[in-house]
Amino acid sequence: MRNKILDLLKLKQGEYVSGESISDSLNITRAGVWKQIQGLKEAGYDIEGQTRRGYRLLKTPSALDEWALQQELRTEALGRRLLLFEELPSTNDWLKNLTPQDAEHGTVVIAKRQNSGHGRMQRLWESPQGGLWLSILLKPRLSLGDAAKLTLSTGVAMAQTLKELYGIEAGIKWPNDLVYEGKKIAGILGEVAGEWNAVQSLILGVGVNANFSLQQLSPKLPATTLLEILGKEINLNGLAATFLFILEKEIQSLEQGDVQGLIQRWTSFAVGINQSVQINRAGIVYTGIFKGIRENGELIISHEGQEMAFSSGEVTLRAEGQYSPN
Ligand code: BT5
């Protein structure tokens, strides 16, 4: 009902729709219409009501809202099936638990908060209200090796989104943390659902610290939020929609085989290129110059005149004055 009323108001955007015509179209009482409108206002919709003219929609909410997000979506597949929850343990886990018949390409699930959000290696991901905690289920037309590159695409898409929407120049810290002035603003988690050969589903989870203050996070975390940077709340529906749009373009370009383009864009956002870094592999520390990444996502350093490559599961990367995850 709520969404039907919004559809009616949208049809006449900017103009008044009488309570009577809403009640006639949807077969509910005038009091019922009024109640629904109050509910919408409480959800952050700016709806003006005038006694004789009716209602008009002035603004959609900046808090997460399914209808408002759908209006902003410009994608072909991503988010066309969209689920929004008040709270979930983890949006990645929710998609992982879908039955294969339900695992539709492009499904997006968002939670307003997570009580058991996680990062790589089951590290805890703090997910208070006001953030964007979103996961996407993909069945990309890619080999397993190329599908693994989608976490790189996700980092690029988020860095581009933050730049385009807010002018924030976030960097990508290998393998795929998004950092701003050395502090983590977003994290990405790519996981394969079930047996890769049997199911071929990839889950991309992204968490963005958006409309909440640093006090909502553990005090020692080297983190920041969009609210801290911008000093004001952003429209979470716009953030999600723009990110999905840019990510879809990245996925399409990878499906067309443009790995080089992805590596270039990733490198243009990478933090620490051509700088001295320390890599810790199983307790042994290698110092070298960070040269970039290989097509398979491995990090390359030049160490005592030789190139060395490291994969993300096995090492941590540190650079002077730079954020280091754990
Ligand atoms: C990540 O892991 O950065 C991936 C985070 C992915 C979160 C999204 S939210 C939607 C979806 N559903 C999920 O359950 N997960 C995904 P990693 O690189 O392992 O970093 C984890 C580390 O980041 C933690 O050990 C903390 O040190 C730090 N951390 C935790 N919460 C943070 C936050 N909100 N902001 C910044 N840093 C945080």
Side-chain angles (χ1 to χ4, degrees):
M1 187 56 66
R2 173 192 194 274
N3 289 359
K4 285 185 181 153
I5 292 182
L6 286 167
D7 289 338
L8 287 176
L9 292 177
K10 187 193 162 198
L11 271 178
K12 295 235 175 152
Q13 206 160 30
E15 282 176 47
Y16 291 93
V17 186
S18 72
E20 194 181 351
S21 72
I22 299 176
S23 99
D24 285 351
S25 312
L26 304 179
N27 216 2
I28 52 170
T29 61
R30 294 285 292 277
V33 174
W34 185 86
K35 216 171 139 200
Q36 290 286 342
I37 297 279
Q38 296 314 305
L40 287 168
K41 285 183 179 171
E42 275 160 31
Y45 283 88
D46 188 358
I47 298 173
E48 189 190 272
Q50 283 211 0
T51 342
R52 270 186 287 135
R53 301 167 89 181
Y55 302 102
R56 64 174 178 159
L57 177 60
L58 297 175
K59 205 164 172 285
T60 56
S62 55
L64 284 166
D65 181 278
E66 212 175 307
W67 189 87
L69 206 165
Q70 297 275 13
Q71 305 310 304
E72 304 218 25
L73 268 186
R74 286 170 290 148
T75 49
E76 284 166 28
L78 300 197
R80 289 293 153 194
R81 179 173 174 229
L82 177 75
L83 299 110
L84 172 63
F85 294 92
E86 287 297 313
E87 179 164 336
L88 282 181
S90 149
T91 51
N92 264 40
D93 291 351
W94 194 91
L95 284 176
K96 257 191 275 175
N97 290 332
L98 281 181
T99 58
Q101 308 87 277
D102 243 0
E104 196 183 308
H105 172 73
T107 302
V108 166
V109 56
I110 303 177
K112 292 188 183 173
R113 40 183 198 277
Q114 298 182 117
N115 53 44
S116 192
H118 52 87
R120 292 172 298 142
M121 292 168 268
Q122 291 304 315
R123 290 174 192 142
L124 181 74
W125 181 259
E126 299 182 21
S127 319
Q129 183 97 12
L132 180 65
W133 322 123
L134 173 153
S135 300
I136 309 151
L137 188 145
L138 294 175
K139 293 183 171 174
R141 284 163 293 185
L142 293 170
S143 67
L144 179 54
D146 278 349
K149 300 184 179 67
L150 285 171
T151 53
L152 301 175
S153 313
T154 310
V156 168
M158 187 46 81
Q160 256 163 13
T161 303
L162 298 180
K163 194 168 164 187
E164 197 172 303
L165 289 181
Y166 319 114
I168 292 177
E169 308 252 350
I172 304 176
K173 180 173 178 294
W174 183 85
N176 45 30
D177 284 349
L178 269 104
V179 295
Y180 178 77
E181 294 181 349
K183 293 173 182 158
K184 189 154 164 175
I185 187 154
I188 291 155
L189 177 67
E191 295 181 287
V192 173
E195 291 290 315
W196 174 260
N197 292 338
V199 183
Q200 305 216 329
S201 288
L202 183 82
I203 291 161
L204 289 175
V206 55
V208 188
N209 298 334
N211 292 345
F212 58 85
S213 67
L214 275 184
Q215 283 76 48
Q216 305 297 312
L217 296 175
S218 299
K220 294 233 169 80
L221 226 48
T224 190
T225 74
L226 291 176
L227 180 63
E228 295 288 330
I229 300 170
L230 299 168
K232 59 172 188 189
E233 293 200 348
I234 54 99
N235 181 341
L236 286 170
N237 304 302
L239 169 60
T242 302
F243 165 66
L244 291 171
F245 180 73
I246 297 179
L247 178 62
E248 191 167 84
K249 295 266 170 287
E250 284 292 334
I251 296 169
Q252 284 164 354
S253 108
L254 205 54
E255 284 179 338
Q256 284 154 14
D258 186 17
V259 178
Q260 276 314 313
L262 169 63
I263 303 289
Q264 260 171 28
R265 288 189 291 282
W266 189 92
T267 308
S268 75
F269 286 113
V271 173
I273 294 276
N274 288 329
Q275 289 173 18
S276 178
V277 290
Q278 288 187 334
I279 307 280
N280 184 332
R281 177 157 66 186
I284 303 173
V285 177
Y286 300 86
T287 302
I289 304 294
F290 178 21
K291 291 314 230 182
I293 52 169
R294 289 199 171 145
E295 282 201 356
N296 62 5
E298 282 178 350
L299 170 130
I300 315 160
I301 64 165
S302 147
H303 171 74
E304 293 170 359
Q306 271 190 323
E307 259 195 12
M308 288 184 77
F310 298 88
S311 71
S312 60
E314 54 173 5
V315 298
T316 56
L317 167 75
R318 275 166 213 270
E320 242 183 304
Q322 247 183 43
Y323 163 72
S324 165
N326 282 297

